[in-house]
Amino acid sequence: MNLLFKKIQPLLSTNEKNISKWAGYFGLGIGIFILLISLQTFINISKLLSENNERKSGYDFVSLSKNITNENMGKDNTFNEQDVDHLKNQTTIEDVSPLISNQFRVRATAGDVLPFSTDLFLESLSNNFLDTLPPSFSWQPGQQVVPIIFSSDFLEMYNVFAPAQGLPQLSPQTISLVNITLECSGPSGMQMYKGNIVALSDRINSILVPHTFMNYNNWFFTKDTSLHAARVFIKTKDANNPSLLKYLDKNDYHINKDKIRFGRIKSILQGVLSGMGILGLLVVVLALMLFAFYLQLMIARSKDNLRLLVTLGYSPNWLSKQVTKKWILVYGYIILLAVIVTQVFNYFFASLSISQKNGLPVLLHWSVLLLAFILFILSILMNYRLVKKELVEMKL
Amino acid sequence: MVISLDGVVPQYIDSKKIPASQVWGKKLEIKKGEHTHIVAPSGTGKSSIIHFIYGLRKDFDGEISYDKNNISKLSPDEFAEYRQQKISIVFQDLRLFENQTALQNIEIKRALAPYHTSEAILAMASRLGIADKLNQMCSSCSYGEKQRIAIIRAMMQPFDFLLLDEPYSHLDENNRKKAMELIYEECGKRGAAMVFADLKPLELLSGEKILLL
């Protein structure tokens, strides 16, 4: 049927001043915009946070220690093997590694370049928990050189105080050149080693040595092989998991809140953006309902004309399609406008310095465009079904 | 195409009237090319039989078929196809869009399945004396003018059957004759059947098949 809808369009009562129609247009546009911007912002924030936090292969690594209070002060507040096994049995915890500290005295000097000497604490941790693991980070008994992984925070702290002490400031590259002499002593005597910083760690605030070095020297100096770890590191899918936090609180374990700060921000943002998304969805549903009322009104007003058109030989199916088609462009324009406004907002978001630093794309994420397309198809389908239902109910 | 009526009786009719009727409760076949006149006084069901055949009303017993297809089983879209290509109608109550011009009313029908060009509309309107009314709103036309608009509208499509329900009731003798000639001419072009319902047999129709309702 090569028919011009134009010919019958005047027969469909469309009062151009109808407020519900314009309110519908506006509401639909706003609702879709809120939905799209929520999704895009969620994607942007997730990207920004994932680049800032220290997730390694999708896991959070956080350190635990026992809370020191006035009551338990002076008692043994270290983690023993039982504590570690108990932690390992938690479903929310993927893996556990105790930070084993030295049971012997360590004194470090840096020779002539850095004229200082200090008592040191050393710790060792399972290699699986290290964010930077150079191949040289290993030690065998008899080896003179001990590889060390140094906390980036410690280096930063050192650089703050070094000038006041007349010491040179060090870059992450030059620190590996510093020759450190480690003087280890205990009841069994004294051992001298050469320390060499092989990597810096953002994740672990400590001075790490290989596990083998720590075990060997703890045994050598104290002959005590039992576990006394002041801290343990846990590997978990989500450090913000409420059941994990509840378990830690119950056992009076202290978690480094700073390390899960991004996770907390993310979960709050996720909540806020989900709320925004739901609000957007509600507005879209309300706007579509308003449209539905408007369409019903239009069809009811045009009932006599539609009935006569069918009497003359117009197919009800064809009429439904034509009435629906009339709205495809309208929906298309509204959704396109919402996409453009979302794109403009995203452009400004991506222009912020923090976004630029993290290379946030200026263009909308493909899932936002897909969502807009799905909303377009849904709107048209809903319209078609509604018009057809109305026409069928009229029993033309 | 053949239209068959098999025992068609309106559900509202007094059963005593059925045996005397040449239509109600009888078996009839209307073939392409035939002219059938259904004659009856007011209120005896002339419009009803036209509406039953056209598929507008279903309050009857019996069966009406288009080419052996029972019309009670036709879908709205199948009806639309018949109404575009096979069956045209002039209603007694005309059924025009009052807020459209005469020309727009005719064009709405022509757009469905154009049998004539738009120039033919002007020629027909001139023949029936309403050429100057084509751009006038229907609501401001007289009933006689509207009847002629409805007749021209019915001629715009291809058809095998033309159903006419008192199409000349408000036309004077001269205009009735002109309209009749146009209808005969158009039916002749298509080899179409004509089912004509009126109060009494017209002189113009003498010699054709007449059924008393």
Side-chain angles (χ1 to χ4, degrees), chain A residues 149-168:
Chain A
I149 294 179
F150 199 66
S151 162
S152 308
D153 290 348
F154 289 0
L155 176 63
E156 209 174 305
M157 223 187 304
Y158 166 82
N159 280 333
V160 170
F161 295 106
Q165 303 297 320
L167 297 169

Side-chain angles (χ1 to χ4, degrees), chain A residues 36-37 40 338-340 342-344 346-347 361-369:
Chain A
L36 299 184
I37 199 80
Q40 183 62 46
V339 169
I340 291 170
T342 312
Q343 173 63 71
V344 169
N346 193 53
Y347 173 78
V362 170
L363 291 177
L364 294 177
H365 193 258
W366 61 267
S367 60
V368 175
L369 298 175

